[in-house]
Amino acid sequence: DAKTTQPNSMESNEEEPVHLPCNHSTISGTDYIHWYRQLPSQGPEYVIHGLTSNVNNRMASLAIAEDRKSSTLILHRATLRDAAVYYCILVLTGGGNKLTFGTGTQLKVEL
Amino acid sequence: GAGVSQSPSNKVTEKGKDVELRCDPISGHTALYWYRQSLGQGLEFLIYFQGNSAPDKSGLPSDRFSAERTGGSVSTLTIQRTQQEDSAVYLCASSPTGVTLNFGNGTRLTVT
């Protein structure tokens, strides 16, 4: 399985943008890039996914490098509720396979 | 709408006992996953069901672990002769396509 690499932790101030990086240098052409986040004492929740083009939704934006070897999850204005562990994972086109989660990035948001 | 429901939310059991953990997926979701998460760790894949296909059991850590999915809906994860290293949060997820997953809040298992 292609693997992803993320920093263990990051800090941000409330109301500021946050850029969470992910490296996936061995990504294949059929892998989608997915992001999930896990708030304390909850199961992970889906955030966003993309293949080649940048993507936006109500929760976040996903910027994908032209060579697809890295991506960045962008939270435009961090709030205290965004403090969570963020996971970047690769998903085979069409799904139907086990999703391999790493240890993710612990995002801390301060006032 | 109803999400993925797991029960019990907490379970304390003595070493050597058997436990059953239940997952009620979102109605109509054909894919169902079990993961476990030890304290401070990432998610570890256990097993994956997709429709009527044979489940992918490649993540089950030992033959003490088994899972069933009856009627393509409810799933039960059974751990026999529990050990202290089985203590973890067991997470269930369902998906309509196996692409984006909807997780429950898990069952916290403590083996004493």
Side-chain angles (χ1 to χ4, degrees), chain A residues 5 16 18 20 34 46 48 59 66 87 103:
Chain A
T5 304
E16 291 186 353
V18 180
L20 298 165
H34 283 230
Y46 166 80
I48 199 168
M59 290 182 69
E66 193 169 340
Y87 297 98
T103 53

Side-chain angles (χ1 to χ4, degrees), chain A residues 36 38 43-44 87 95-97 99, chain B residues 33 35 37 48 98 101 103-105:
Chain A
Y36 284 77
Q38 187 173 23
Y87 297 98
N97 69 323
L99 274 62
Chain B
Y33 297 77
Y35 286 83
Q37 187 171 33
Y48 161 60
L101 271 57
F103 281 86
N105 286 329

Side-chain angles (χ1 to χ4, degrees), chain A residues 21-25 27 33 63-72:
Chain A
C22 181
N23 288 320
H24 28 79
S25 58
I27 191 171
I33 302 155
I64 301 172
E66 193 169 340
D67 64 4
R68 300 205 333 121
K69 293 183 184 299
S70 65
S71 61
T72 302

Side-chain angles (χ1 to χ4, degrees), chain A residues 89-111:
Chain A
I89 63 174
L90 302 180
V91 180
L92 188 66
T93 298
N97 69 323
K98 60 188 182 186
L99 274 62
T100 301
F101 287 77
T103 53
T105 297
Q106 173 70 64
L107 175 65
K108 301 175 184 177
V109 181
E110 299 179 344
L111 292 171

Side-chain angles (χ1 to χ4, degrees), chain B:
Chain B
V4 175
S5 177
Q6 293 188 246
S7 60
S9 55
N10 283 284
K11 175 73 176 178
V12 180
T13 190
E14 292 180 352
K15 177 182 173 181
K17 301 280 190 182
D18 297 351
V19 294
E20 285 190 352
L21 312 179
R22 177 185 171 104
C23 173
D24 284 86
I26 294 173
S27 178
H29 282 195
T30 59
L32 188 146
Y33 297 77
W34 283 97
Y35 286 83
R36 75 175 175 181
Q37 187 171 33
S38 301
L39 187 64
Q41 302 297 309
L43 280 71
E44 176 188 4
F45 167 79
L46 297 177
I47 188 169
Y48 161 60
F49 297 88
Q50 173 60 59
N52 295 322
S53 302
D56 177 352
K57 304 179 181 180
S58 61
L60 294 178
S62 77
D63 58 8
R64 296 186 296 105
F65 288 72
S66 63
E68 290 185 343
R69 188 176 186 193
T70 55
S73 181
V74 172
S75 178
T76 302
L77 177 69
T78 301
I79 308 173
Q80 296 178 312
R81 304 181 302 282
T82 52
Q83 303 294 314
Q84 289 186 330
E85 60 263 28
D86 299 333
S87 296
V89 175
Y90 289 81
L91 291 158
C92 175
S94 71
S95 173
T97 59
V99 177
T100 58
L101 271 57
N102 298 270
F103 281 86
N105 286 329
T107 293
R108 181 175 299 278
L109 175 66
T110 303
V111 182
T112 60

